[in-house]
Amino acid sequence: MAGRKNATFAVTKVRLGEHAQVDTRADTVAGEEPLEIRVGGQTITTTMRTPGHDIELAHGFLHSEGHIAALSDVTTARYCAGSTVEGMNTYNLLDIDLVKNTPLDLSDLRLTTTTSACGVCGTSSIEALAKKSRYPIPQIPVDPQLVVQLPEKLRAAQKEFRKTGGIHAAGAFTLEGEPVVIREDIGRHNAADKVIGHLLMEERLPADDLTLVMSSRASFELVQKAAMAGFGMLVAVSAASSLAVETARETGMALVGFARADRFNLYSGALAE
């Protein structure tokens, strides 16, 4: 699996200006492959992801959609042996069996292919999220000195980003700024699902004593996933969308964007006194 996280191609690199140069050399790019997730033999979603930590991704996805609450809700998670190319398992089809052996309600799931670029939110509105939320959102005062350290701490653990420059990361950090788990994926929503899936499998939910840190912008879907997992704060290195801000304020989650070493935007929540 590790060898599929990235790939190497011959790439022509062009530099203009005073040090103009054109040369061809090997370059590493982030891996991207489809993962079809089935529950009880029923296809739930197909997402474009970076291979690795797929079982965590599936657990995180099902938790974010409100279909599982704990590790004990899942009986088995296995790659389908029938998904092969030239007789080799592609590891791109994951079968999940739940204790509750009834078909899932597909009305609000990601039934179409979700790209690594954006992802499609599983619930259609803030009201739907409120109905599914299972944990109260803690009120976490935002410590400026701590917040500005989190992006660099996340970046320091991004091994695949250093190789490719084209992959996102999500990390769960303690309220003192210590990393608990960090995962990378070409899709920011997948990276978040991997982190949440890991916490669920380690029986660390609700994440009411943790902060979710993203190397991306803050979208509604990421706030949704953070809220479903019980995070009280989401920190992103880029901008927040309007619906992400509205959702964070509605749920009481602290939302930080444009986090840098010396500044950030606080979209929701209050600064620590």
Side-chain angles (χ1 to χ4, degrees):
M1 187 71 68
R4 295 164 53 208
K5 289 183 178 180
N6 53 62
T8 302
F9 297 92
V11 175
T12 299
K13 299 189 176 234
V14 180
R15 175 179 293 182
L16 303 179
E18 182 181 354
H19 303 288
Q21 183 179 9
V22 176
D23 69 308
T24 301
R25 68 179 75 170
D27 195 36
T28 302
V29 299
E32 182 178 32
E33 296 183 15
L35 177 67
E36 180 181 346
I37 299 174
R38 294 180 183 175
V39 174
Q42 180 182 35
T43 298
I44 300 304
T45 191
T46 299
T47 185
M48 302 303 295
R49 96 305 189 192
T50 300
H53 303 293
D54 292 335
I55 293 177
E56 290 180 352
L57 191 162
H59 279 73
F61 174 81
L62 291 172
H63 182 274
S64 296
E65 295 288 347
H67 293 290
I68 63 173
L71 180 61
S72 58
D73 292 334
V74 178
T75 58
T76 58
R78 61 188 178 276
Y79 290 103
C80 179
S83 177
T84 63
V85 174
E86 296 180 354
M88 300 292 291
N89 196 324
T90 64
Y91 297 99
N92 285 337
L93 199 164
L94 195 60
D95 274 321
I96 308 291
D97 290 323
L98 304 182
V99 172
K100 183 180 178 181
N101 191 24
T102 56
L104 299 185
D105 180 4
L106 304 184
S107 61
D108 63 351
L109 280 171
R110 292 185 275 193
L111 293 178
T112 57
T113 300
T114 53
T115 71
S116 57
C118 59
V120 179
C121 71
T123 52
S124 59
S125 67
I126 298 176
E127 290 76 14
L129 171 59
K131 290 178 182 178
K132 285 190 173 185
S133 293
R134 59 173 57 89
Y135 304 124
I137 303 299
Q139 302 296 304
I140 298 179
V142 178
D143 180 350
Q145 296 301 322
L146 175 64
V147 165
V148 296
Q149 297 176 35
L150 294 176
E152 183 53 38
K153 288 186 175 183
L154 182 68
R155 181 74 171 264
Q158 290 183 248
K159 296 179 181 178
E160 294 304 316
F161 180 82
R162 287 196 293 272
K163 296 177 183 177
T164 67
I167 195 165
H168 284 298
F173 288 78
T174 68
L175 300 184
E176 292 72 41
E178 296 303 316
V180 174
V181 57
I182 294 172
R183 294 289 184 257
E184 292 181 278
D185 197 280
I186 199 165
R188 61 180 183 270
H189 53 288
N190 291 333
D193 277 339
K194 289 178 180 181
V195 165
I196 293 168
H198 174 88
L199 295 175
L200 182 144
M201 295 176 73
E202 293 293 318
E203 300 184 337
R204 287 281 276 110
L205 294 182
D208 51 7
D209 58 345
L210 301 174
T211 296
L212 182 63
V213 183
M214 300 296 307
S215 68
S216 63
R217 69 181 179 88
S219 62
F220 164 76
E221 185 179 37
L222 292 178
V223 174
Q224 171 215 353
K225 291 178 183 296
M228 289 295 289
F231 284 97
M233 180 160 61
L234 172 63
V235 175
V237 302
S238 192
S241 69
S242 61
L243 192 54
V245 175
E246 292 172 19
T247 307
R249 292 181 176 181
E250 182 72 19
T251 60
M253 182 187 301
L255 178 61
V256 171
F258 288 116
R260 301 290 188 272
D262 60 348
R263 63 189 184 278
F264 60 86
N265 287 358
L266 182 60
Y267 295 102
S268 176
L271 294 175
E273 296 181 359

